[in-house]
């Protein structure tokens, strides 16, 4: 087994025992990127020199006999909507093509502090709007399990890089499913943390009340490790939660015996492919045989969640994206003889179609004639969805659903029909609407050998519970699997 195939946990053990150095780990990853990136296209910017520099420092500390943090020397890559000081942060948009942030996100500071070498910045749908990475201004990222298919989105670069062995850990962001759906399509693990547990400072805003940065990895323990490193109160984020967090890594082997696991019928309805339903139900059966108590629960407003999500997220996006005007920073049009024309041309030329669609939808639902009919009703629904989850959690400790209604689709299959693309989020958006944590873990394959993911949803701040269930699923499936053959 090569170093690039190892999990973060395995690499950490090797580093501690001096079975390899951080520099060797980083070199192995860089070689792997050179070998497969021409097929996968996960990276928008590569930073091998930065990674080498960090690894060298870690090796020096190791040689000096220092006790290292679990993430020291573990190569990571970062979704390109998270600001990295001195390293281009594009949001996969022409608008920010040459934007080099003068500051780093809080999560990036935390990684620096831990001594985590950063390999580069990963592709996404423009401003994290999309479900396939096809909305990137720069490139399409391929699914390592089938290069003719999408990796999901918007954190498709993160999921694909992990599945291809092009990084050991990755950061994504999730507004309506953008960590979990690509994790499901690429057969990796992704956690959307409780809203407020990870600082959003330095995450380029899409829909601030829903956005959350989260960890992605090839094993459940790796995701727990990264989550522990990035969570915590940050005074630079006013929605950041002040609380004590329990340790997770190495604490997830409790199993599901006696746990009450809720299954909502609404998530197994029409629109969800049969193979997906079967794989998730089969896994639920396995958990029951392991001692879990399966309880039916009801989340009746699920059918309205997608509409509520696209109204709320677009409303917030239309306001957040007002800052890209060609004056303050980012792309500026060469055309236009007045300030108004400068704004107009900059935004027309700088944003892609999907971003424009969201801005138009958002300004529409916020406009005075339509505010009550759309935005206000979506917010009422948001409250109801939260209450329905709260009553469901009276009867169970975690809720099990498919992560996505389907498996990875082919390039171009949904691009002509935005509603079809939006339907990809049918199982994930409720979690953001209610501010809950949820993890996607591989639970099977379809007839084409494409990964299927199970979503485990928990009460606020119950990451330990949902990761314990995820680990039980992973163990039942024989642990973390080797990388797919690429090409
Ligand atoms: N696919 C969803 C959207 O397009 C979710 C995006 C996200 O979570 N960032 O809005």
């Amino acid at each position: 087994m090569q170093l690039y195939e190892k999990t973060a946990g395995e690499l950490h053990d090797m580093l501690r025992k001096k079975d390899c150095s951080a520099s060797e780990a980083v070199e192995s990853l860089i070689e792997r990127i050179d070998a497969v990136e021409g097929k996968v296209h996960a990276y928008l910017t590569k930073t091998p020199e930065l990674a080498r520099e960090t690894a060298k420092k870690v090796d020096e500390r190791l040689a000096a006999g220092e006790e290292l943090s679990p993430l020291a020397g573990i190569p990571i890559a970062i979704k390109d909507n998270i600001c990295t000081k001195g390293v281009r942060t594009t949001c996969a948009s022409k608008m920010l093509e040459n934007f080099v942030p003068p500051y780093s996100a809080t999560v990036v500071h935390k990684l620096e502090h831990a001594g985590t070498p950063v390999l580069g910045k990963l592709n996404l749908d423009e401003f994290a709007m999309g479900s396939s990475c096809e909305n990137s201004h720069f490139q399409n990222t391929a699914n390592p399990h089938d290069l003719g298919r999408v990796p999901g989105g918007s954190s498709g670069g993160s999921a694909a890089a992990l599945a291809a062995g092009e990084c050991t850990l990755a950061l994504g962001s999730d507004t309506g499913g953008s960590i979990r759906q690509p994790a499901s399509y690429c057969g990796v693990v992704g956690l959307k943390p409780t809203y407020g547990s990870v600082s959003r400072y330095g995450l380029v805003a899409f829909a601030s009340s829903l956005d959350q940065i989260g960890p992605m990895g090839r094993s459940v323990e790796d995701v727990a490790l990264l989550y522990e490193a990035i969570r915590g109160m940050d005074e630079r984020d006013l929605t950041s939660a002040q609380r004590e967090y329990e340790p997770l890594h190495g604490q997830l082997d409790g199993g599901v015996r006696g746990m009450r696991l809720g299954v909502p019928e609404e998530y197994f309805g029409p629109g969800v492919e049969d193979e997906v339903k079967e794989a998730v139900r089969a896994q639920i059966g396995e958990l029951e045989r392991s001692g879990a108590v399966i309880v039916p629960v009801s989340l009746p407003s699920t059918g309205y969640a997608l509409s509520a999500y696209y109204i709320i997220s677009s409303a917030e996006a239309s306001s957040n994206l007002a800052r890209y005007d060609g004056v303050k920073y980012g792309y500026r049009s060469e055309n236009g003889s007045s300030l108004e024309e400068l704004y107009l041309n900059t935004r027309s030329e700088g944003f892609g179609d999907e971003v424009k669609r969201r801005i138009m939808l958002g300004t529409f639902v916020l406009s005075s004639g339509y505010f009550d009919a759309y935005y206000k009703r979506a917010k009422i629904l948001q409250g109801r969805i939260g209450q329905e989850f709260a009553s469901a959690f009276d009867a169970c400790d975690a809720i099990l659903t498919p992560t996505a209604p389907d498996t990875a689709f082919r390039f171009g299959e949904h691009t002509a029909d935005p509603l079809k693309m939006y339907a990809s989020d049918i199982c994930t958006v409720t979690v953001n609407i209610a501010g809950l944590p949820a993890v996607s873990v591989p639970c099977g394959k379809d007839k084409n050998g494409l990964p299927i993911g199970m979503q485990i949803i928990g009460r606020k701040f119950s990451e330990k519970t949902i990761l314990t269930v995820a680990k039980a699923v992973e163990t039942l499936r024989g642990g973390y699997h080797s990388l797919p053959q690429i090409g």
Side-chain angles (χ1 to χ4, degrees), residues 79 81 125 127-132 135 153-155 173-182 206-207 210-212 306 309-310 313-314 354 358 421-422 424-425 428-429 432:
K79 186 176 180 180
N81 61 348
D125 288 293
F127 285 101
M129 297 173 187
S131 304
S132 68
N135 295 336
S154 63
S155 312
S173 71
D174 193 313
T175 306
S178 277
I179 286 177
R180 292 159 285 157
Q181 183 257 23
F206 163 9
L210 307 169
D211 296 341
Q212 198 61 180
L306 209 54
Y309 166 76
Y310 276 94
S313 63
S314 301
E354 184 59 30
R358 307 275 178 123
M421 193 69 95
Y422 296 173
S424 249
D425 308 319
T428 45
V429 293
N432 304 71

Side-chain angles (χ1 to χ4, degrees), residues 325-343:
D325 57 6
V327 176
K328 300 184 200 74
Y329 51 80
Y331 176 78
R332 174 181 296 178
S333 173
E334 305 275 317
N335 310 309
S337 48
S338 66
L339 183 62
E340 184 154 355
E341 273 178 33
L342 174 74
Y343 287 161

Side-chain angles (χ1 to χ4, degrees), residues 283-366:
Q283 203 58 59
I284 293 173
E286 293 278 319
L287 290 168
E288 189 168 24
R289 279 187 283 284
S290 306
V293 182
I294 304 299
V295 283
V297 293
S298 180
L299 297 164
S301 298
T302 303
Y304 304 107
L306 209 54
S307 312
Y309 166 76
Y310 276 94
I311 290 171
I312 296 169
S313 63
S314 301
E316 292 186 26
S318 72
S319 159
N320 274 328
L321 271 60
R323 68 190 71 168
Y324 305 105
D325 57 6
V327 176
K328 300 184 200 74
Y329 51 80
Y331 176 78
R332 174 181 296 178
S333 173
E334 305 275 317
N335 310 309
S337 48
S338 66
L339 183 62
E340 184 154 355
E341 273 178 33
L342 174 74
Y343 287 161
L344 195 74
N345 293 333
T346 294
R347 291 167 69 80
S348 301
E349 294 160 23
F351 288 135
D353 287 348
E354 184 59 30
V355 174
K356 287 180 193 159
R357 189 178 293 124
R358 307 275 178 123
I359 293 173
M360 286 191 283
L361 180 63
T363 42
F364 174 76
V365 298
L366 290 176

Side-chain angles (χ1 to χ4, degrees), residues 160-244:
L162 280 167
E166 292 187 80
C167 59
T168 309
L169 293 170
L171 285 180
S173 71
D174 193 313
T175 306
S178 277
I179 286 177
R180 292 159 285 157
Q181 183 257 23
S184 174
Y185 281 11
C186 291
V188 299
V189 185
L191 171 71
K192 182 265 162 198
T194 306
Y195 187 79
S197 67
V198 178
S199 170
R200 287 182 297 110
Y201 179 77
L203 169 68
V204 178
F206 163 9
S208 316
S209 78
L210 307 169
D211 296 341
Q212 198 61 180
I213 294 174
M216 301 174 74
R218 288 192 293 265
S219 76
V220 175
E221 286 287 352
D222 278 11
V223 162
L225 207 60
L226 182 52
Y227 177 56
E228 281 184 315
I230 59 172
R231 68 187 174 182
M233 161 71 188
D234 179 11
E235 57 190 25
R236 288 172 154 159
D237 173 359
L238 292 176
T239 57
S240 180
Q242 172 81 60
R243 60 182 286 121
E244 290 290 317

Side-chain angles (χ1 to χ4, degrees), residues 390-412:
S391 3
F393 283 123
D394 285 341
C396 66
D397 305 306
I399 291 174
L400 310 178
T401 75
T403 304
D406 53 6
T407 51
F409 46 89
R410 289 181 200 286
F411 287 110

Side-chain angles (χ1 to χ4, degrees), residues 385-455:
I385 289 170
Q387 283 159 10
E388 288 174 9
F389 269 116
S391 3
F393 283 123
D394 285 341
C396 66
D397 305 306
I399 291 174
L400 310 178
T401 75
T403 304
D406 53 6
T407 51
F409 46 89
R410 289 181 200 286
F411 287 110
E413 217 175 303
H414 295 346
T415 32
D417 182 356
L419 290 182
K420 194 104 206 259
M421 193 69 95
Y422 296 173
S424 249
D425 308 319
I426 192 165
C427 304
T428 45
V429 293
T430 48
V431 167
N432 304 71
I433 289 176
L436 304 174
V439 59
S440 177
V441 65
C443 77
K445 295 245 167 113
D446 72 2
K447 59 178 178 310
N448 297 317
L450 297 168
I452 296 173
M454 174 192 255
Q455 175 173 241

